[in-house]
């Protein structure tokens, strides 16, 4: 996923099992999020990536503690 200003929001990549065989697709949001999945199709992983980004982007802002 790429934003209007060309920044990468997330990407989809093949998922590999313990034997090195591809077992689906995963997505990873930009930043420190671990990959999620696997999903059966690349389109499913892309949809989940978009939904995850919307959840992050629309989450309420957390206030910092006064001592921080």
């Amino acid at each position: 996923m790429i934003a209007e200003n060309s920044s990468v929001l997330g990407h989809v990549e093949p998922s590999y099992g313990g034997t090195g065989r591809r077992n689906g697709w995963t997505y990873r949001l930009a930043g420190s999020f671990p990959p999620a999945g696997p999903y059966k199709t690349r389109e499913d992983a892309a949809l989940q990536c978009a939904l995850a980004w919307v959840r992050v982007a629309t989450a309420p802002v957390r206030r910092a503690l006064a001592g921080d």
Side-chain angles (χ1 to χ4, degrees):
M1 295 179 6
I2 300 176
E4 289 180 8
N5 66 357
S6 299
S7 44
V8 175
L9 305 174
H11 68 275
V12 173
E13 58 191 21
S15 171
Y16 293 95
T19 61
R21 296 177 60 188
R22 192 178 86 203
N23 61 353
W25 296 85
T26 61
Y27 72 84
R28 183 184 304 257
L29 292 177
S32 62
F33 294 95
Y39 297 94
K40 287 186 178 188
T41 66
R42 185 173 61 174
E43 291 78 15
D44 286 342
L47 174 62
Q48 294 304 316
C49 184
L51 292 172
W53 184 85
V54 168
R55 285 191 299 272
V56 169
T58 60
V61 177
R62 294 184 178 182
R63 293 185 180 189
L65 297 175
D68 289 348

